[in-house]
Amino acid sequence: MRLSRYFLPVAKETPSEAQIVSHQLMLRAGLIKQQQAGVYVWLPFGLKVLRNIEKIVREEQDRSGALELLMPTMQSADLWRESGRYDDYGAEMLRIKDRHERDMLFGPTAEEVVTDVVRTYIRSYKDLPLNLYNIQWKFRDEVRPRFGVMRGREFLMKDAYSFDIDADSAVDAYRKMFLAYLRTFQRLGLRGVPMRAATGPIGGDLSHEFIILAKNGESAVFYDSVYEDKDWTTTDISFENDDASKSARKAMVDEVLAAYAATDEMHEEEQFLANVPEDRRREGRGIEVGHIFFFGDKYSKPMNAKVMGKDGKEHVLQMGSYGIGVSRLVGAVIEASHDEHGIIWPTEIAPFNLGIVNLKSGDTACDELCKKIYDLATAKGLDPLYDDRDERAGAKFATMDVIGVPKQVVIGPRGVANGIVEVKNRKTQEKTEMKIEDFLKSIE
Ligand code: ATP
Ligand code: MG
């Protein structure tokens, strides 16, 4: 992309309406524009990041065996009356009437819709286990939308729903998701710490929140330092349904959960102190990026979702649901990875992976070399961002840093004359000179 043709409204000043650094940087670096309280326009650059995160979330869901579908944002109140949640959900649910005065709602979650799909088509234990997910916009009329996309009213969520014949296999579905979550957050350059959670309005028996440790997190957290050190995903876990895979998954999840973590909402500090050796006790703040639940027949029973079992009898389906805040993750990643110059994207989600800074646009030699690098990088499948604007060098450097392009190559008249370019690492701010030929080879 040539910056002169891109739409990237970078601001020099820190916007005053934003209280936390991720929100400030998302506004400054031109990722989002607020449209109304808790509702945002995703500008081209922000959308690129959102899509990159969505892609990783999708790949790990697919890998775990879950199947993607797409459910509507607009749902009928009647389905929610069947489960009994229409009246219970409260003011966070946006209720709407159509022209026939029928009650509708903008989905805050989709247990009812997916249960209705499954009860329509699934008749036998042979069709199970089944896990269906979608990545779709949700609306919750939060009392206090704040921190930009971290607590929005409209937000993008990945929500998966598992259906099983009995509690045993449902718990195994839960473990599959648990491991898929660890891997997802790891690929995003984040450490997702699972904490046993209160189940809230979705309800149920077994539940974990995945928390990203970050200075500006909404909740205080207490955790065992092993969560800082261990890479939980180096062990390759199989998502097959055979007994060997099941017991391997159980062992792996048990190992993760043997370390201890709690949030202040649970008032478990005292238990925490008792459980973790003194030198491993850590206190911090965290952002909830995922939440998983096993809730048995909470929805399937009132909605009459049953299948025929091996025993020739009908069984009410056992369900779980699994959310990831995809749009919240954009803020969480920035919260966890930035410096005084701006955003530092983890490699897998960086929207552009090579920045090309032309120090003297209009100078034939500089223009030609920049174009050569740009064309080569594009041909090699890199996603380069070429700053070809007629701007001061300082402004160009600041732009590349605030939007967080991981690797930047700087081309100026003196360097070109000497056959040299400067290559900068965004994260370390290290600059190294390279021969033009060597740099071109490195792209090859
Ligand atoms: P919270 O406790 O933060 O309000 P929740 O428990 O209501 O979250 P869930 O119903 O578990 O959220 O939704 C799954 C995920 O969706 C959450 O883990 C979070 O990452 C994301 N999420 C929930 N509410 C919002 C919101 N208002 N804005 C952005 N993301 C959200
Ligand atoms: Mg929650």
Side-chain angles (χ1 to χ4, degrees), residues 89 92 108-109 140 142 149-158 202 209-210 218 288-293 323-328:
Y89 207 92
E92 273 191 17
T109 176
R140 293 182 186 175
E142 301 273 357
V149 300
M150 294 264 238
R151 185 164 297 282
R153 294 197 296 166
E154 191 183 41
F155 59 97
L156 188 61
M157 196 204 282
K158 183 287 298 179
I202 291 181
E209 287 176 357
F210 286 78
E218 281 193 291
E288 178 194 322
V289 288
H291 200 164
I292 61 178
F293 304 85
I324 288 184
V326 177
S327 50
R328 177 179 286 185

PDB file of all heavy atoms in Angstrom, residues 89 92 108-109 140 142 149-158 202 209-210 218 288-293 323-328, ligand 1:
ATOM      1  N   TYR A  89     -33.072 -11.279  31.013  1.00  0.00           N
ATOM      2  CA  TYR A  89     -31.782 -10.718  30.585  1.00  0.00           C
ATOM      3  C   TYR A  89     -31.554  -9.282  31.038  1.00  0.00           C
ATOM      4  O   TYR A  89     -30.428  -8.879  31.254  1.00  0.00           O
ATOM      5  CB  TYR A  89     -31.613 -10.842  29.065  1.00  0.00           C
ATOM      6  CG  TYR A  89     -30.152 -10.921  28.665  1.00  0.00           C
ATOM      7  CD1 TYR A  89     -29.517 -12.149  28.530  1.00  0.00           C
ATOM      8  CD2 TYR A  89     -29.402  -9.769  28.445  1.00  0.00           C
ATOM      9  CE1 TYR A  89     -28.177 -12.241  28.184  1.00  0.00           C
ATOM     10  CE2 TYR A  89     -28.056  -9.846  28.108  1.00  0.00           C
ATOM     11  CZ  TYR A  89     -27.457 -11.082  27.981  1.00  0.00           C
ATOM     12  OH  TYR A  89     -26.128 -11.158  27.648  1.00  0.00           O
ATOM     13  N   GLU A  92     -29.439  -4.810  29.501  1.00  0.00           N
ATOM     14  CA  GLU A  92     -28.348  -4.914  28.527  1.00  0.00           C
ATOM     15  C   GLU A  92     -28.848  -5.385  27.159  1.00  0.00           C
ATOM     16  O   GLU A  92     -28.162  -5.231  26.155  1.00  0.00           O
ATOM     17  CB  GLU A  92     -27.278  -5.882  29.031  1.00  0.00           C
ATOM     18  CG  GLU A  92     -26.252  -5.192  29.897  1.00  0.00           C
ATOM     19  CD  GLU A  92     -25.044  -6.056  30.192  1.00  0.00           C
ATOM     20  OE1 GLU A  92     -24.830  -7.065  29.490  1.00  0.00           O
ATOM     21  OE2 GLU A  92     -24.317  -5.718  31.135  1.00  0.00           O
ATOM     22  N   PRO A 108     -27.327 -10.468  22.055  1.00  0.00           N
ATOM     23  CA  PRO A 108     -26.162 -10.271  22.926  1.00  0.00           C
ATOM     24  C   PRO A 108     -25.329 -11.553  23.014  1.00  0.00           C
ATOM     25  O   PRO A 108     -24.201 -11.546  23.503  1.00  0.00           O
ATOM     26  CB  PRO A 108     -26.788  -9.947  24.287  1.00  0.00           C
ATOM     27  CG  PRO A 108     -28.128 -10.616  24.273  1.00  0.00           C
ATOM     28  CD  PRO A 108     -28.561 -10.732  22.837  1.00  0.00           C
ATOM     29  N   THR A 109     -25.879 -12.657  22.533  1.00  0.00           N
ATOM     30  CA  THR A 109     -25.290 -13.998  22.553  1.00  0.00           C
ATOM     31  C   THR A 109     -26.266 -14.876  21.757  1.00  0.00           C
ATOM     32  O   THR A 109     -27.309 -14.384  21.333  1.00  0.00           O
ATOM     33  CB  THR A 109     -25.080 -14.476  24.013  1.00  0.00           C
ATOM     34  OG1 THR A 109     -24.598 -15.816  24.005  1.00  0.00           O
ATOM     35  CG2 THR A 109     -26.380 -14.441  24.821  1.00  0.00           C
ATOM     36  N   ARG A 140     -24.758  -5.257  23.376  1.00  0.00           N
ATOM     37  CA  ARG A 140     -25.168  -5.252  24.790  1.00  0.00           C
ATOM     38  C   ARG A 140     -25.181  -3.800  25.222  1.00  0.00           C
ATOM     39  O   ARG A 140     -24.185  -3.094  25.078  1.00  0.00           O
ATOM     40  CB  ARG A 140     -24.188  -6.058  25.658  1.00  0.00           C
ATOM     41  CG  ARG A 140     -24.213  -7.536  25.334  1.00  0.00           C
ATOM     42  CD  ARG A 140     -23.289  -8.333  26.234  1.00  0.00           C
ATOM     43  NE  ARG A 140     -23.247  -9.722  25.802  1.00  0.00           N
ATOM     44  CZ  ARG A 140     -22.456 -10.645  26.332  1.00  0.00           C
ATOM     45  NH1 ARG A 140     -21.644 -10.332  27.329  1.00  0.00           N
ATOM     46  NH2 ARG A 140     -22.474 -11.888  25.882  1.00  0.00           N
ATOM     47  N   GLU A 142     -24.479  -1.798  27.467  1.00  0.00           N
ATOM     48  CA  GLU A 142     -23.701  -1.679  28.702  1.00  0.00           C
ATOM     49  C   GLU A 142     -24.031  -0.363  29.418  1.00  0.00           C
ATOM     50  O   GLU A 142     -24.192   0.670  28.768  1.00  0.00           O
ATOM     51  CB  GLU A 142     -22.198  -1.689  28.379  1.00  0.00           C
ATOM     52  CG  GLU A 142     -21.708  -2.939  27.663  1.00  0.00           C
ATOM     53  CD  GLU A 142     -21.328  -4.065  28.619  1.00  0.00           C
ATOM     54  OE1 GLU A 142     -21.383  -3.861  29.845  1.00  0.00           O
ATOM     55  OE2 GLU A 142     -20.993  -5.164  28.116  1.00  0.00           O
ATOM     56  N   VAL A 149     -12.935   0.026  22.365  1.00  0.00           N
ATOM     57  CA  VAL A 149     -13.516  -1.263  21.973  1.00  0.00           C
ATOM     58  C   VAL A 149     -13.466  -2.310  23.089  1.00  0.00           C
ATOM     59  O   VAL A 149     -14.030  -3.390  22.954  1.00  0.00           O
ATOM     60  CB  VAL A 149     -12.809  -1.840  20.720  1.00  0.00           C
ATOM     61  CG1 VAL A 149     -12.960  -0.880  19.556  1.00  0.00           C
ATOM     62  CG2 VAL A 149     -11.337  -2.133  21.001  1.00  0.00           C
ATOM     63  N   MET A 150     -12.803  -1.969  24.185  1.00  0.00           N
ATOM     64  CA  MET A 150     -12.695  -2.940  25.281  1.00  0.00           C
ATOM     65  C   MET A 150     -14.056  -3.189  25.931  1.00  0.00           C
ATOM     66  O   MET A 150     -14.382  -4.324  26.280  1.00  0.00           O
ATOM     67  CB  MET A 150     -11.741  -2.417  26.338  1.00  0.00           C
ATOM     68  CG  MET A 150     -10.358  -2.333  25.795  1.00  0.00           C
ATOM     69  SD  MET A 150      -9.453  -3.773  26.238  1.00  0.00           S
ATOM     70  CE  MET A 150      -8.169  -2.945  27.091  1.00  0.00           C
ATOM     71  N   ARG A 151     -14.803  -2.130  26.176  1.00  0.00           N
ATOM     72  CA  ARG A 151     -16.167  -2.322  26.645  1.00  0.00           C
ATOM     73  C   ARG A 151     -17.080  -1.493  25.763  1.00  0.00           C
ATOM     74  O   ARG A 151     -17.434  -0.362  26.076  1.00  0.00           O
ATOM     75  CB  ARG A 151     -16.322  -1.960  28.130  1.00  0.00           C
ATOM     76  CG  ARG A 151     -17.729  -2.281  28.657  1.00  0.00           C
ATOM     77  CD  ARG A 151     -17.814  -2.314  30.157  1.00  0.00           C
ATOM     78  NE  ARG A 151     -16.973  -3.363  30.718  1.00  0.00           N
ATOM     79  CZ  ARG A 151     -17.290  -4.666  30.735  1.00  0.00           C
ATOM     80  NH1 ARG A 151     -18.431  -5.088  30.254  1.00  0.00           N
ATOM     81  NH2 ARG A 151     -16.461  -5.538  31.247  1.00  0.00           N
ATOM     82  N   GLY A 152     -17.391  -2.059  24.614  1.00  0.00           N
ATOM     83  CA  GLY A 152     -18.267  -1.387  23.673  1.00  0.00           C
ATOM     84  C   GLY A 152     -19.698  -1.823  23.920  1.00  0.00           C
ATOM     85  O   GLY A 152     -19.979  -2.630  24.813  1.00  0.00           O
ATOM     86  N   ARG A 153     -20.600  -1.273  23.142  1.00  0.00           N
ATOM     87  CA  ARG A 153     -21.972  -1.793  23.163  1.00  0.00           C
ATOM     88  C   ARG A 153     -22.129  -2.749  21.970  1.00  0.00           C
ATOM     89  O   ARG A 153     -22.653  -3.838  22.103  1.00  0.00           O
ATOM     90  CB  ARG A 153     -22.974  -0.642  23.116  1.00  0.00           C
ATOM     91  CG  ARG A 153     -22.889   0.208  24.401  1.00  0.00           C
ATOM     92  CD  ARG A 153     -24.113   1.063  24.574  1.00  0.00           C
ATOM     93  NE  ARG A 153     -24.215   2.040  23.498  1.00  0.00           N
ATOM     94  CZ  ARG A 153     -25.307   2.727  23.244  1.00  0.00           C
ATOM     95  NH1 ARG A 153     -26.395   2.544  23.968  1.00  0.00           N
ATOM     96  NH2 ARG A 153     -25.321   3.618  22.261  1.00  0.00           N
ATOM     97  N   GLU A 154     -21.642  -2.317  20.795  1.00  0.00           N
ATOM     98  CA  GLU A 154     -21.588  -3.254  19.671  1.00  0.00           C
ATOM     99  C   GLU A 154     -20.165  -3.802  19.620  1.00  0.00           C
ATOM    100  O   GLU A 154     -19.212  -3.028  19.624  1.00  0.00           O
ATOM    101  CB  GLU A 154     -21.919  -2.525  18.364  1.00  0.00           C
ATOM    102  CG  GLU A 154     -22.135  -3.469  17.213  1.00  0.00           C
ATOM    103  CD  GLU A 154     -22.395  -2.738  15.900  1.00  0.00           C
ATOM    104  OE1 GLU A 154     -21.722  -1.721  15.637  1.00  0.00           O
ATOM    105  OE2 GLU A 154     -23.257  -3.176  15.148  1.00  0.00           O
ATOM    106  N   PHE A 155     -20.015  -5.119  19.587  1.00  0.00           N
ATOM    107  CA  PHE A 155     -18.669  -5.691  19.563  1.00  0.00           C
ATOM    108  C   PHE A 155     -18.673  -7.034  18.836  1.00  0.00           C
ATOM    109  O   PHE A 155     -19.716  -7.687  18.719  1.00  0.00           O
ATOM    110  CB  PHE A 155     -18.106  -5.833  20.989  1.00  0.00           C
ATOM    111  CG  PHE A 155     -18.935  -6.705  21.900  1.00  0.00           C
ATOM    112  CD1 PHE A 155     -18.606  -8.040  22.089  1.00  0.00           C
ATOM    113  CD2 PHE A 155     -20.040  -6.195  22.569  1.00  0.00           C
ATOM    114  CE1 PHE A 155     -19.367  -8.854  22.930  1.00  0.00           C
ATOM    115  CE2 PHE A 155     -20.810  -6.994  23.403  1.00  0.00           C
ATOM    116  CZ  PHE A 155     -20.472  -8.326  23.588  1.00  0.00           C
ATOM    117  N   LEU A 156     -17.489  -7.403  18.344  1.00  0.00           N
ATOM    118  CA  LEU A 156     -17.388  -8.646  17.580  1.00  0.00           C
ATOM    119  C   LEU A 156     -16.991  -9.785  18.514  1.00  0.00           C
ATOM    120  O   LEU A 156     -15.994  -9.681  19.233  1.00  0.00           O
ATOM    121  CB  LEU A 156     -16.350  -8.489  16.461  1.00  0.00           C
ATOM    122  CG  LEU A 156     -16.269  -9.637  15.448  1.00  0.00           C
ATOM    123  CD1 LEU A 156     -17.599  -9.826  14.710  1.00  0.00           C
ATOM    124  CD2 LEU A 156     -15.145  -9.398  14.436  1.00  0.00           C
ATOM    125  N   MET A 157     -17.774 -10.837  18.484  1.00  0.00           N
ATOM    126  CA  MET A 157     -17.498 -11.980  19.358  1.00  0.00           C
ATOM    127  C   MET A 157     -17.433 -13.260  18.546  1.00  0.00           C
ATOM    128  O   MET A 157     -18.184 -13.439  17.596  1.00  0.00           O
ATOM    129  CB  MET A 157     -18.611 -12.126  20.415  1.00  0.00           C
ATOM    130  CG  MET A 157     -18.229 -13.021  21.593  1.00  0.00           C
ATOM    131  SD  MET A 157     -19.644 -13.738  22.413  1.00  0.00           S
ATOM    132  CE  MET A 157     -20.202 -12.373  23.386  1.00  0.00           C
ATOM    133  N   LYS A 158     -16.501 -14.117  18.941  1.00  0.00           N
ATOM    134  CA  LYS A 158     -16.536 -15.492  18.454  1.00  0.00           C
ATOM    135  C   LYS A 158     -17.301 -16.261  19.516  1.00  0.00           C
ATOM    136  O   LYS A 158     -16.931 -16.238  20.687  1.00  0.00           O
ATOM    137  CB  LYS A 158     -15.107 -16.032  18.320  1.00  0.00           C
ATOM    138  CG  LYS A 158     -14.983 -17.435  17.757  1.00  0.00           C
ATOM    139  CD  LYS A 158     -15.386 -18.576  18.656  1.00  0.00           C
ATOM    140  CE  LYS A 158     -14.544 -18.673  19.913  1.00  0.00           C
ATOM    141  NZ  LYS A 158     -15.003 -19.813  20.800  1.00  0.00           N
ATOM    142  N   ILE A 202     -25.401 -16.315  31.811  1.00  0.00           N
ATOM    143  CA  ILE A 202     -25.448 -17.458  30.898  1.00  0.00           C
ATOM    144  C   ILE A 202     -25.657 -18.748  31.704  1.00  0.00           C
ATOM    145  O   ILE A 202     -26.268 -19.693  31.256  1.00  0.00           O
ATOM    146  CB  ILE A 202     -24.202 -17.488  29.984  1.00  0.00           C
ATOM    147  CG1 ILE A 202     -24.298 -16.297  29.028  1.00  0.00           C
ATOM    148  CG2 ILE A 202     -24.101 -18.786  29.196  1.00  0.00           C
ATOM    149  CD1 ILE A 202     -23.195 -16.151  28.037  1.00  0.00           C
ATOM    150  N   GLU A 209     -12.745 -17.995  32.916  1.00  0.00           N
ATOM    151  CA  GLU A 209     -12.454 -16.783  32.156  1.00  0.00           C
ATOM    152  C   GLU A 209     -10.992 -16.840  31.767  1.00  0.00           C
ATOM    153  O   GLU A 209     -10.168 -17.313  32.538  1.00  0.00           O
ATOM    154  CB  GLU A 209     -12.661 -15.544  33.034  1.00  0.00           C
ATOM    155  CG  GLU A 209     -14.100 -15.230  33.300  1.00  0.00           C
ATOM    156  CD  GLU A 209     -14.268 -14.044  34.248  1.00  0.00           C
ATOM    157  OE1 GLU A 209     -13.255 -13.502  34.739  1.00  0.00           O
ATOM    158  OE2 GLU A 209     -15.422 -13.672  34.495  1.00  0.00           O
ATOM    159  N   PHE A 210     -10.674 -16.346  30.578  1.00  0.00           N
ATOM    160  CA  PHE A 210      -9.273 -16.209  30.182  1.00  0.00           C
ATOM    161  C   PHE A 210      -8.903 -14.742  30.289  1.00  0.00           C
ATOM    162  O   PHE A 210      -9.548 -13.890  29.687  1.00  0.00           O
ATOM    163  CB  PHE A 210      -9.061 -16.753  28.766  1.00  0.00           C
ATOM    164  CG  PHE A 210      -9.106 -18.248  28.726  1.00  0.00           C
ATOM    165  CD1 PHE A 210     -10.324 -18.918  28.763  1.00  0.00           C
ATOM    166  CD2 PHE A 210      -7.936 -18.995  28.697  1.00  0.00           C
ATOM    167  CE1 PHE A 210     -10.378 -20.304  28.778  1.00  0.00           C
ATOM    168  CE2 PHE A 210      -7.978 -20.387  28.696  1.00  0.00           C
ATOM    169  CZ  PHE A 210      -9.205 -21.042  28.732  1.00  0.00           C
ATOM    170  N   GLU A 218      -9.439  -4.311  33.871  1.00  0.00           N
ATOM    171  CA  GLU A 218     -10.551  -3.903  34.723  1.00  0.00           C
ATOM    172  C   GLU A 218     -10.561  -4.636  36.061  1.00  0.00           C
ATOM    173  O   GLU A 218     -11.110  -4.141  37.031  1.00  0.00           O
ATOM    174  CB  GLU A 218     -11.891  -4.123  33.997  1.00  0.00           C
ATOM    175  CG  GLU A 218     -12.197  -3.025  32.993  1.00  0.00           C
ATOM    176  CD  GLU A 218     -13.638  -3.083  32.516  1.00  0.00           C
ATOM    177  OE1 GLU A 218     -13.994  -4.040  31.789  1.00  0.00           O
ATOM    178  OE2 GLU A 218     -14.406  -2.195  32.866  1.00  0.00           O
ATOM    179  N   GLU A 288     -10.442  -9.490  30.634  1.00  0.00           N
ATOM    180  CA  GLU A 288     -11.084 -10.745  30.236  1.00  0.00           C
ATOM    181  C   GLU A 288     -11.250 -10.772  28.721  1.00  0.00           C
ATOM    182  O   GLU A 288     -11.947  -9.935  28.156  1.00  0.00           O
ATOM    183  CB  GLU A 288     -12.460 -10.867  30.909  1.00  0.00           C
ATOM    184  CG  GLU A 288     -13.172 -12.140  30.491  1.00  0.00           C
ATOM    185  CD  GLU A 288     -14.644 -12.147  30.863  1.00  0.00           C
ATOM    186  OE1 GLU A 288     -15.004 -11.659  31.932  1.00  0.00           O
ATOM    187  OE2 GLU A 288     -15.430 -12.674  30.046  1.00  0.00           O
ATOM    188  N   VAL A 289     -10.598 -11.738  28.079  1.00  0.00           N
ATOM    189  CA  VAL A 289     -10.714 -11.829  26.616  1.00  0.00           C
ATOM    190  C   VAL A 289     -11.510 -13.049  26.168  1.00  0.00           C
ATOM    191  O   VAL A 289     -11.911 -13.146  25.012  1.00  0.00           O
ATOM    192  CB  VAL A 289      -9.324 -11.821  25.933  1.00  0.00           C
ATOM    193  CG1 VAL A 289      -8.704 -10.439  26.005  1.00  0.00           C
ATOM    194  CG2 VAL A 289      -8.405 -12.868  26.541  1.00  0.00           C
ATOM    195  N   GLY A 290     -11.734 -13.976  27.090  1.00  0.00           N
ATOM    196  CA  GLY A 290     -12.517 -15.151  26.724  1.00  0.00           C
ATOM    197  C   GLY A 290     -13.221 -15.712  27.934  1.00  0.00           C
ATOM    198  O   GLY A 290     -12.835 -15.450  29.080  1.00  0.00           O
ATOM    199  N   HIS A 291     -14.295 -16.446  27.665  1.00  0.00           N
ATOM    200  CA  HIS A 291     -15.073 -16.994  28.765  1.00  0.00           C
ATOM    201  C   HIS A 291     -15.727 -18.273  28.261  1.00  0.00           C
ATOM    202  O   HIS A 291     -16.384 -18.261  27.228  1.00  0.00           O
ATOM    203  CB  HIS A 291     -16.136 -15.960  29.168  1.00  0.00           C
ATOM    204  CG  HIS A 291     -16.681 -16.170  30.543  1.00  0.00           C
ATOM    205  ND1 HIS A 291     -17.379 -15.196  31.214  1.00  0.00           N
ATOM    206  CD2 HIS A 291     -16.638 -17.240  31.365  1.00  0.00           C
ATOM    207  CE1 HIS A 291     -17.728 -15.666  32.418  1.00  0.00           C
ATOM    208  NE2 HIS A 291     -17.300 -16.895  32.515  1.00  0.00           N
ATOM    209  N   ILE A 292     -15.520 -19.367  28.974  1.00  0.00           N
ATOM    210  CA  ILE A 292     -16.111 -20.626  28.536  1.00  0.00           C
ATOM    211  C   ILE A 292     -17.013 -21.197  29.634  1.00  0.00           C
ATOM    212  O   ILE A 292     -16.751 -21.014  30.820  1.00  0.00           O
ATOM    213  CB  ILE A 292     -15.030 -21.650  28.091  1.00  0.00           C
ATOM    214  CG1 ILE A 292     -14.085 -22.005  29.244  1.00  0.00           C
ATOM    215  CG2 ILE A 292     -14.235 -21.100  26.910  1.00  0.00           C
ATOM    216  CD1 ILE A 292     -13.029 -23.057  28.859  1.00  0.00           C
ATOM    217  N   PHE A 293     -18.079 -21.868  29.204  1.00  0.00           N
ATOM    218  CA  PHE A 293     -19.064 -22.392  30.151  1.00  0.00           C
ATOM    219  C   PHE A 293     -19.475 -23.809  29.762  1.00  0.00           C
ATOM    220  O   PHE A 293     -19.634 -24.106  28.581  1.00  0.00           O
ATOM    221  CB  PHE A 293     -20.390 -21.610  30.075  1.00  0.00           C
ATOM    222  CG  PHE A 293     -20.304 -20.142  30.270  1.00  0.00           C
ATOM    223  CD1 PHE A 293     -19.999 -19.301  29.209  1.00  0.00           C
ATOM    224  CD2 PHE A 293     -20.576 -19.586  31.510  1.00  0.00           C
ATOM    225  CE1 PHE A 293     -19.957 -17.920  29.384  1.00  0.00           C
ATOM    226  CE2 PHE A 293     -20.537 -18.210  31.682  1.00  0.00           C
ATOM    227  CZ  PHE A 293     -20.225 -17.376  30.626  1.00  0.00           C
ATOM    228  N   GLY A 323     -16.966 -18.078  24.479  1.00  0.00           N
ATOM    229  CA  GLY A 323     -16.852 -16.769  23.827  1.00  0.00           C
ATOM    230  C   GLY A 323     -15.427 -16.246  23.802  1.00  0.00           C
ATOM    231  O   GLY A 323     -14.638 -16.508  24.719  1.00  0.00           O
ATOM    232  N   ILE A 324     -15.109 -15.531  22.732  1.00  0.00           N
ATOM    233  CA  ILE A 324     -13.867 -14.738  22.693  1.00  0.00           C
ATOM    234  C   ILE A 324     -14.254 -13.350  22.206  1.00  0.00           C
ATOM    235  O   ILE A 324     -14.983 -13.206  21.216  1.00  0.00           O
ATOM    236  CB  ILE A 324     -12.819 -15.338  21.728  1.00  0.00           C
ATOM    237  CG1 ILE A 324     -12.225 -16.628  22.293  1.00  0.00           C
ATOM    238  CG2 ILE A 324     -11.667 -14.333  21.484  1.00  0.00           C
ATOM    239  CD1 ILE A 324     -11.110 -17.234  21.454  1.00  0.00           C
ATOM    240  N   GLY A 325     -13.781 -12.320  22.895  1.00  0.00           N
ATOM    241  CA  GLY A 325     -14.055 -10.944  22.482  1.00  0.00           C
ATOM    242  C   GLY A 325     -13.060 -10.524  21.410  1.00  0.00           C
ATOM    243  O   GLY A 325     -11.982 -10.031  21.727  1.00  0.00           O
ATOM    244  N   VAL A 326     -13.429 -10.739  20.142  1.00  0.00           N
ATOM    245  CA  VAL A 326     -12.485 -10.486  19.046  1.00  0.00           C
ATOM    246  C   VAL A 326     -12.133  -8.996  18.964  1.00  0.00           C
ATOM    247  O   VAL A 326     -10.959  -8.626  18.868  1.00  0.00           O
ATOM    248  CB  VAL A 326     -13.048 -11.002  17.702  1.00  0.00           C
ATOM    249  CG1 VAL A 326     -12.109 -10.684  16.552  1.00  0.00           C
ATOM    250  CG2 VAL A 326     -13.297 -12.508  17.773  1.00  0.00           C
ATOM    251  N   SER A 327     -13.148  -8.126  19.020  1.00  0.00           N
ATOM    252  CA  SER A 327     -12.825  -6.693  18.937  1.00  0.00           C
ATOM    253  C   SER A 327     -12.144  -6.206  20.221  1.00  0.00           C
ATOM    254  O   SER A 327     -11.244  -5.366  20.164  1.00  0.00           O
ATOM    255  CB  SER A 327     -14.080  -5.872  18.629  1.00  0.00           C
ATOM    256  OG  SER A 327     -15.146  -6.198  19.494  1.00  0.00           O
ATOM    257  N   ARG A 328     -12.521  -6.768  21.374  1.00  0.00           N
ATOM    258  CA  ARG A 328     -11.826  -6.393  22.616  1.00  0.00           C
ATOM    259  C   ARG A 328     -10.349  -6.764  22.534  1.00  0.00           C
ATOM    260  O   ARG A 328      -9.490  -6.074  23.086  1.00  0.00           O
ATOM    261  CB  ARG A 328     -12.477  -7.090  23.816  1.00  0.00           C
ATOM    262  CG  ARG A 328     -11.749  -6.797  25.128  1.00  0.00           C
ATOM    263  CD  ARG A 328     -12.396  -7.464  26.319  1.00  0.00           C
ATOM    264  NE  ARG A 328     -13.633  -6.806  26.706  1.00  0.00           N
ATOM    265  CZ  ARG A 328     -14.341  -7.158  27.787  1.00  0.00           C
ATOM    266  NH1 ARG A 328     -13.936  -8.143  28.555  1.00  0.00           N
ATOM    267  NH2 ARG A 328     -15.467  -6.532  28.091  1.00  0.00           N
TER     268      ARG A 328
HETATM  269  P1  ATP B   1     -17.555  -8.849  31.045  1.00  0.00           P
HETATM  270  O1  ATP B   1     -17.442  -9.548  32.368  1.00  0.00           O
HETATM  271  O2  ATP B   1     -16.267  -8.204  30.589  1.00  0.00           O
HETATM  272  O3  ATP B   1     -18.744  -7.948  30.936  1.00  0.00           O
HETATM  273  P2  ATP B   1     -19.068 -11.007  30.028  1.00  0.00           P
HETATM  274  O4  ATP B   1     -18.837 -12.020  31.060  1.00  0.00           O
HETATM  275  O5  ATP B   1     -20.328 -10.241  30.021  1.00  0.00           O
HETATM  276  O6  ATP B   1     -17.824  -9.990  29.970  1.00  0.00           O
HETATM  277  P3  ATP B   1     -19.279 -13.062  28.009  1.00  0.00           P
HETATM  278  O7  ATP B   1     -20.742 -13.133  27.976  1.00  0.00           O
HETATM  279  O8  ATP B   1     -18.527 -14.147  28.642  1.00  0.00           O
HETATM  280  O9  ATP B   1     -18.829 -11.647  28.586  1.00  0.00           O
HETATM  281  O10 ATP B   1     -18.748 -12.804  26.498  1.00  0.00           O
HETATM  282  C1  ATP B   1     -17.601 -13.427  25.947  1.00  0.00           C
HETATM  283  C2  ATP B   1     -16.491 -12.431  25.663  1.00  0.00           C
HETATM  284  O11 ATP B   1     -16.972 -11.322  24.914  1.00  0.00           O
HETATM  285  C3  ATP B   1     -15.889 -11.810  26.908  1.00  0.00           C
HETATM  286  O12 ATP B   1     -14.911 -12.649  27.466  1.00  0.00           O
HETATM  287  C4  ATP B   1     -15.294 -10.534  26.356  1.00  0.00           C
HETATM  288  O13 ATP B   1     -14.007 -10.784  25.815  1.00  0.00           O
HETATM  289  C5  ATP B   1     -16.224 -10.166  25.236  1.00  0.00           C
HETATM  290  N1  ATP B   1     -17.119  -9.075  25.662  1.00  0.00           N
HETATM  291  C6  ATP B   1     -18.163  -9.137  26.519  1.00  0.00           C
HETATM  292  N2  ATP B   1     -18.741  -7.950  26.676  1.00  0.00           N
HETATM  293  C7  ATP B   1     -18.059  -7.084  25.876  1.00  0.00           C
HETATM  294  C8  ATP B   1     -18.185  -5.702  25.586  1.00  0.00           C
HETATM  295  N3  ATP B   1     -19.134  -4.958  26.149  1.00  0.00           N
HETATM  296  N4  ATP B   1     -17.315  -5.134  24.709  1.00  0.00           N
HETATM  297  C9  ATP B   1     -16.350  -5.886  24.130  1.00  0.00           C
HETATM  298  N5  ATP B   1     -16.186  -7.201  24.369  1.00  0.00           N
HETATM  299  C10 ATP B   1     -17.031  -7.803  25.223  1.00  0.00           C
END
